[in-house]
Amino acid sequence: MNDYIHKLKEHNLKVTPQRLGILSIIQKSGHISIEELYVAVRRDFSTISLATLYKNINFMVEVNLLKEVKIPNGKSKYEIVKEEHSHMICKKCSKLEDLELSLQSVVQTASKKSGYLFDDNALVLSGICPQCQ
Amino acid sequence: MNDYIHKLKEHNLKVTPQRLGILSIIQKSGHISIEELYVAVRRDFSTISLATLYKNINFMVEVNLLKEVKIPNGKSKYEIVKEEHSHMICKKCSKLEDLELSLQSVVQTASKKSGYLFDDNALVLSGICPQCQ
DNA sequence: TTACTAAAGGATAAAAATTATTATTAAGAT
DNA sequence: ATCTTAATAATAATTTTTATCCTTTAGTAA
Ligand SMILES: [Mn+2]
Ligand SMILES: [Mn+2]
Ligand SMILES: [Zn+2]
Ligand SMILES: [Zn+2]
């Protein structure tokens, strides 16, 4: 059936229709902001509370089911956690896309240079997408 | 004298004591959040309005005198614009540090792969700093 | 220097974003 | 079917950011 059920239970979160609805919309959209998400979720759950949405987003981020993507000069978007990846954003159309890119050598260089032990990274490249060029 | 005077005039912003104070504190601190900045600025300008602070930060970001650094799981910090660089943040002590690192080959690879034309990037590596290890 | 003008500052209200509270509902367990 | 606890909805409160409006001041030019 739905994989979210498993993921939720895995993290000791009860499986509610609201949570499944939220996750399904985030999945479908790829990346979505809180406001966009609220509008979308309300199409399925007209009475859902904004507080419920915030609480769930926060929970899910805490248990690593969701990830916040911070956008330069823009509002954060949320996505379902998957393999580590970077992002590209188009300055014209504001489209946000995934980018699979190995940062291994960069991270290794950084670690050697600084003495830090890194276990996470966030890279957003900004520019103009092919369609907008 | 002070280099900020030149930078402000360059961007058609009037040179006020408040602005010089704000810039001087940001410079000294390296990276600073709005709240921290407000506390610090009020030591020099006890009556400065929070609105003035926000307005100035926004202006200065717009004219590229300041840059906002968005931190994963944390509040944004601001810094004086300088050469392009990346950042490292320690998950234990929350210290934020600059990291000079060439992303040229990564950006080039990304561009080839995606067709985007990139002119900006934001990379934050998260981990444990040497002192906290 | 003085006077003028537009921009900037300060006080405050308003708006937007997020979190807290509390009574009701419902998921998961027995 | 019942029970217990967590989740939801409604709402208030808090926090963050922006707008308004009046006063002050920086920059300019007599
Ligand atoms: Mn993504
Ligand atoms: Mn920096
Ligand atoms: Zn585009
Ligand atoms: Zn540390």
Side-chain angles (χ1 to χ4, degrees):
Chain A
M1 307 260 302
N2 197 325
D3 187 41
Y4 302 130
I5 295 179
H6 177 244
K7 285 193 179 177
L8 284 171
K9 286 185 173 167
E10 217 175 43
H11 296 98
N12 298 314
L13 296 178
K14 285 190 177 174
V15 179
T16 66
Q18 289 89 341
R19 281 176 177 164
L20 292 179
I22 289 170
L23 285 168
S24 150
I25 287 166
I26 297 177
Q27 176 75 286
K28 243 183 304 180
S29 72
H31 309 88
I32 194 168
S33 70
I34 291 274
E35 318 86 275
E36 293 165 343
L37 182 55
Y38 187 50
V39 170
V41 172
R42 293 222 309 190
R43 285 199 276 268
D44 300 329
F45 300 88
S46 58
T47 68
I48 197 172
S49 168
L50 187 53
T52 298
L53 186 57
Y54 272 107
K55 262 184 294 187
N56 276 316
I57 295 297
N58 289 344
F59 277 157
M60 292 174 181
V61 168
E62 269 171 33
V63 302
N64 205 41
L65 221 161
L66 293 184
K67 192 168 169 54
E68 180 181 2
V69 183
K70 295 208 171 187
I71 315 284
N73 315 317
K75 295 185 180 170
S76 288
K77 303 218 163 189
Y78 293 85
E79 66 181 352
I80 306 282
V81 166
K82 49 181 181 175
E83 330 78 62
E84 193 171 277
H85 62 280
S86 299
H87 290 99
M88 319 179 271
I89 188 160
C90 175
K91 287 180 174 176
K92 281 211 175 154
C93 66
S94 296
K95 176 171 50 187
L96 179 71
E97 293 188 83
D98 285 347
L99 175 62
E100 276 168 58
L101 201 59
S102 171
L103 294 180
Q104 239 207 286
S105 86
V106 165
V107 172
Q108 195 174 325
T109 303
S111 197
K112 201 169 299 176
K113 199 167 185 173
S114 66
Y116 272 66
L117 295 173
F118 297 115
D119 63 347
D120 207 357
N121 66 73
L123 172 63
V124 181
L125 301 179
S126 303
I128 311 291
C129 78
Q131 290 74 41
C132 288
Q133 280 165 31
Chain B
M1 304 262 302
N2 197 325
D3 187 38
Y4 302 130
I5 295 179
H6 177 243
K7 283 194 180 178
L8 284 171
K9 286 186 174 167
E10 215 175 43
H11 295 99
N12 297 314
L13 296 177
K14 285 190 176 174
V15 178
T16 65
Q18 289 89 341
R19 283 178 175 161
L20 293 178
I22 290 170
L23 285 167
S24 149
I25 287 165
I26 298 177
Q27 176 76 286
K28 243 183 304 181
S29 72
H31 308 89
I32 193 167
S33 70
I34 291 275
E35 318 85 276
E36 293 165 341
L37 182 55
Y38 186 51
V39 170
V41 172
R42 292 220 311 189
R43 284 199 277 268
D44 300 330
F45 300 87
S46 59
T47 69
I48 196 172
S49 169
L50 188 52
T52 298
L53 185 56
Y54 272 105
K55 267 183 292 187
N56 276 315
I57 295 299
N58 290 344
F59 277 159
M60 291 174 182
V61 168
E62 269 169 36
V63 303
N64 204 40
L65 219 161
L66 293 183
K67 192 168 169 54
E68 180 180 3
V69 183
K70 294 207 171 187
I71 315 284
N73 316 314
K75 295 186 181 169
S76 288
K77 303 218 165 187
Y78 294 85
E79 66 181 354
I80 306 279
V81 166
K82 50 180 178 174
E83 330 76 62
E84 193 171 276
H85 62 281
S86 299
H87 290 99
M88 320 179 272
I89 187 159
C90 175
K91 287 179 175 177
K92 282 210 173 156
C93 66
S94 297
K95 175 172 48 188
L96 180 70
E97 294 188 82
D98 285 348
L99 175 61
E100 276 168 59
L101 200 60
S102 171
L103 294 181
Q104 239 208 285
S105 86
V106 165
V107 172
Q108 195 174 325
T109 302
S111 197
K112 203 169 298 177
K113 200 170 185 171
S114 66
Y116 273 65
L117 294 174
F118 297 115
D119 62 347
D120 206 357
N121 66 74
L123 172 63
V124 181
L125 299 179
S126 303
I128 311 292
C129 77
Q131 290 75 41
C132 287
Q133 281 166 28

